[in-house]
Amino acid sequence: MKTLDKEALLKSIRDILDFPKRGIIFKDITTLLNNPLAFGDLMEHLEDRYKSYDLDFIAGIESRGFIFGSALATRLGIGFVPIRKKGKLPFTTVSEKYALEYGEDEVEVHIDAFGDKKGSRVLLIDDLIATGGTAKASANLIGKVGATCVESCFVLELTFLNGKANFPTPLYSILEI
Ligand code: AMP
């Protein structure tokens, strides 16, 4: 197995200061995506890790989780399931609310997204975990529709926000800052 050059991967992600509001350092993964070496090495690393997990589906969190999740799903030869913000999915959905700093938000998945089999093995994926609110709600949602979230995977973890605390599934972050 090839070892991933984590330093190069981290360097391929651009920092945007004060986006979308003052005081936030936005981790811009578009510079990773348009760098074929960095993107290719990342996907190879994910394929190597997850090919032995006997997964049935990859679930990606809107919207950057769709990019990594669907690329990994085709590499592993399994289906991809989008987890979306409220009101975007056209068929019958199941939803899970979660608290924001001010107010709340909601994620949804199609009720039949993981097929008829009970306990389908699902990997949840997103680009970044910050407070963990979105990912925890998404992992809970997978359980709500009868599937099993075997692991949650993030390209980058902002460790100072402690999103890992009380996380409902095993968690794998490739990069930590
Ligand atoms: P959270 O629910 O706080 O863990 O936020 C996670 C979601 O917000 C993910 O979908 C991230 O893509 C996005 N996000 C949060 N903070 C940042 C950041 N500093 N840079 C880029 N994306 C972020």
Side-chain angles (χ1 to χ4, degrees), residues 96 135-145 168:
E96 178 83 8
K136 280 179 194 164
S138 301
N140 290 336
L141 190 56
I142 291 166
K144 250 189 182 175
V145 287

Side-chain angles (χ1 to χ4, degrees), residues 19-20 24-29 61-65 85 98-100 126-136 154 156 158 161 163:
F19 182 88
I24 306 277
I25 302 173
F26 190 85
K27 298 302 208 180
D28 176 19
I29 54 110
I61 301 175
E62 183 173 357
S63 59
R64 291 177 292 271
K85 295 284 163 62
Y98 60 99
L100 298 172
D126 202 0
D127 65 329
L128 183 144
I129 179 165
T131 65
T134 320
K136 280 179 194 164
F154 305 92
L156 188 59
L158 304 182
L161 291 171

Side-chain angles (χ1 to χ4, degrees), residues 44-171:
E44 197 177 320
H45 174 75
L46 289 173
E47 183 182 352
D48 275 348
R49 179 179 175 85
Y50 288 112
K51 65 187 175 198
S52 61
Y53 271 58
D54 193 24
L55 296 168
D56 296 304
F57 293 94
I58 308 281
I61 301 175
E62 183 173 357
S63 59
R64 291 177 292 271
F66 295 176
I67 302 166
F68 301 112
S70 55
L72 182 58
T74 61
R75 278 178 171 249
L76 296 176
I78 58 176
F80 173 77
V81 172
I83 294 183
R84 300 209 63 180
K85 295 284 163 62
K86 191 179 169 55
K88 305 271 187 166
L89 287 169
F91 187 57
T92 311
T93 56
V94 176
S95 67
E96 178 83 8
K97 291 195 170 88
Y98 60 99
L100 298 172
E101 198 177 346
Y102 303 103
E104 61 178 19
D105 216 335
E106 204 166 337
V107 281
E108 292 186 333
V109 71
H110 277 153
I111 192 162
D112 60 352
F114 300 110
D116 296 333
K117 185 178 125 187
K118 273 263 162 233
S120 282
R121 291 172 61 80
V122 180
L123 173 74
L124 178 67
I125 191 161
D126 202 0
D127 65 329
L128 183 144
I129 179 165
T131 65
T134 320
K136 280 179 194 164
S138 301
N140 290 336
L141 190 56
I142 291 166
K144 250 189 182 175
V145 287
T148 304
C149 183
V150 295
E151 188 157 283
S152 302
C153 172
F154 305 92
V155 178
L156 188 59
E157 177 180 346
L158 304 182
T159 53
F160 56 94
L161 291 171
N162 210 18
K164 230 178 204 159
N166 306 315
F167 204 86
T169 73
L171 192 153

